[in-house]
Amino acid sequence: MNEALLRSLTPSVLGILVRRGADFAAAEDAVQDALVEAVRVWPADPPRDAKGWLVTVAWRRFLDATRAEAARRRREDLVDEEPVPGPAPAVDDTLQLYFLCAHPSLTASSAVALTLRAVGGLTTRQIAQAYLVPEATMAQRISRAKRTVSGVRFDQPGDVATVLRVLYLVFNEGYSGDVDLAAEAIRLTRQLAAAIDHPEVAGLLALMLLHHARRAARTASDGSLVPLAEQDRGRWDTESIAEGVEILQAALARDRLGEFQAQAAIAALHADAPTAEETDWVQIVEWYDELARLTDSPVVLLNRAVAVGEADGPRAGLAALVALDDSLPRHAAVAAYLHERDGDLATAARLYAEAAQKAPNLAERDHLTRQAARLNARRCR
């Protein structure tokens, strides 16, 4: 396999797809899929026209993705802008597709990646960001998953835990503002909760409702992000909060704690505080300890460091941060916030600027850039 040849052909193949009408991000995704396929096929069956082969395969992948996206959007058109409280009145086949993609022949991580790509409508890049892995690695994982299920019968649906993980990641991508999938994820989770009596299903639904309740307050009129502490709590959806808390309390009463219930408990404590200053940070730290025990996730420990900084002071938060890998997404932003609270404005400004360069979306990048500029302006007074 001539990897140098593949690298040299990539820009021209990408350019051809864009000239044919593909948007740049979709073209990149399709070309990446074609490159993965080339790595698999060419050693045994090298093409006579390498560039032509890549263009053909990439264009087919682009068309397949476009059709899948169109189908997903048609399903989304059936959903109201805001999720309606109570059981879902109608059921389509989307949730069934989630279960079928979570096939027993796949590992949990591969099943999640495949479902997000094939049914959830996320790009390979978005999925890679969610998993904290390089885009090329995720493209190979999805390609392997497709090959694994290509010759199997889809008569053995996957497990609930995998489907919950997919729904959680779809909701998070929608909630970030990059793709509006949050309401669709809530709709499907309502369907799942109506069909399966499981405390973690209820926990995930509660978590989604509690986060979605704050959506209107998360951005200013100019589109800029508004941090949780600065949000107008009068704009929070109290009905969704009340529903989420009720669902969570019923789930916790069953004494079968899982990660989604623990996350929902943290969200409920934020929602319960009349003001940011009245947030029960001590109890939030305790819930993060439970969540860390359940997941062993470095992202959970990163968020815990923020909570420790609020409960015990910024230096305690910085001490909790020392043990974590500084390459973690948003590590620099957390460090910047804690250094600012500790009065070290120079370090905080530098870290905010560093975090802005690594931000996963434009809104977050602009917010972090403004934070750095604000602190630099204060230092110059």
Side-chain angles (χ1 to χ4, degrees):
M1 169 57 60
N2 192 331
E3 294 184 6
L5 174 62
L6 287 177
R7 286 195 296 270
S8 67
L9 291 175
T10 297
S12 60
V13 173
L14 183 60
I16 290 171
L17 264 64
V18 171
R19 287 194 294 274
R20 287 186 177 183
D23 67 84
F24 190 80
E28 277 190 317
D29 214 40
V31 171
Q32 183 63 58
D33 282 351
L35 293 175
V36 171
E37 186 69 5
V39 171
R40 184 181 72 88
V41 171
W42 285 11
D45 185 20
R48 284 178 292 181
D49 180 3
K51 181 177 178 181
W53 188 98
L54 287 171
V55 169
T56 300
V57 173
W59 185 247
R60 287 173 180 167
R61 296 299 172 89
F62 166 72
L63 293 177
D64 289 344
T66 301
R67 284 192 287 267
E69 175 69 8
R72 182 185 64 77
R73 290 189 180 278
R74 284 196 296 272
R75 292 194 298 271
E76 281 190 345
D77 288 341
L78 301 175
V79 185
D80 292 334
E81 179 65 20
E82 295 296 326
V84 179
V91 178
D92 59 23
D93 64 350
T94 306
L95 190 57
Q96 182 183 6
L97 291 174
Y98 273 63
F99 273 96
L100 292 177
C101 284
H103 197 273
S105 63
L106 296 173
T107 64
S109 59
S110 294
V112 171
L114 177 62
T115 313
L116 290 172
R117 188 72 182 90
V119 187
L122 274 64
T123 66
T124 303
R125 179 177 299 171
Q126 290 168 325
I127 302 168
Q129 288 173 345
Y131 270 89
L132 311 181
V133 299
E135 185 177 353
T137 300
M138 183 53 65
Q140 292 175 349
R141 184 180 300 176
I142 293 171
S143 181
R144 285 196 299 268
K146 289 177 180 177
R147 292 199 302 272
T148 299
V149 300
S150 62
V152 300
R153 290 173 56 86
F154 280 89
D155 55 1
Q156 294 178 277
D159 67 332
V160 175
T162 300
V163 173
L164 287 179
R165 177 63 50 190
V166 176
L167 289 168
Y168 174 67
L169 291 174
V170 169
F171 176 82
N172 280 347
E173 197 60 49
Y175 193 66
S176 75
D178 291 337
V179 183
D180 189 9
L181 296 171
E184 170 74 350
I186 290 174
R187 182 180 75 87
L188 293 173
T189 306
R190 285 193 189 281
Q191 289 184 8
L192 189 58
I196 299 176
D197 183 20
H198 193 297
E200 271 295 82
V201 176
L204 179 59
L205 179 57
L207 175 64
M208 289 179 175
L209 290 169
L210 290 164
H211 278 307
H212 203 73
R214 302 200 300 259
R215 188 170 188 175
R218 289 185 72 244
T219 54
S221 56
D222 61 358
S224 59
L225 289 180
V226 180
L228 176 61
E230 300 172 20
Q231 288 176 15
D232 177 1
R233 298 183 179 220
R235 298 184 66 195
W236 289 2
D237 182 349
T238 55
E239 289 187 10
S240 290
I241 290 173
E243 185 188 6
V245 169
E246 181 180 0
I247 292 170
L248 173 63
Q249 288 175 338
L252 291 175
R254 300 177 66 175
D255 198 24
R256 290 169 54 194
L257 184 64
E259 63 172 297
F260 294 122
Q261 295 168 73
Q263 287 192 57
I266 293 168
L269 286 167
H270 284 298
D272 187 55
T275 65
E277 292 73 24
E278 296 174 86
T279 303
D280 188 347
W281 286 106
V282 172
Q283 194 172 167
I284 287 175
V285 171
E286 292 174 357
W287 275 111
Y288 270 121
D289 289 339
E290 288 287 347
L291 190 55
R293 180 181 62 80
L294 290 165
T295 66
D296 193 30
S297 165
V299 175
V300 168
L301 295 176
L302 187 65
N303 291 329
R304 180 186 178 277
V306 176
V308 169
E310 298 289 354
D312 301 327
R315 294 194 178 181
L318 288 168
L321 202 60
V322 168
L324 303 180
D325 187 346
D326 61 10
S327 67
L328 277 172
R330 298 186 174 89
H331 184 286
V334 169
Y337 174 74
L338 292 171
H339 276 292
E340 179 184 356
R341 289 202 57 226
D342 195 39
D344 187 351
L345 302 188
T347 300
R350 175 180 59 78
L351 287 169
Y352 274 130
E354 178 184 324
Q357 295 176 347
K358 302 175 181 177
N361 56 66
L362 182 61
E364 191 169 332
R365 186 189 70 188
D366 289 347
H367 170 72
L368 293 167
T369 300
R370 282 192 295 271
Q371 295 293 87
R374 173 179 58 82
L375 293 187
N376 284 326
R378 282 179 57 186
R379 293 172 55 219
C380 293
R381 289 175 188 168

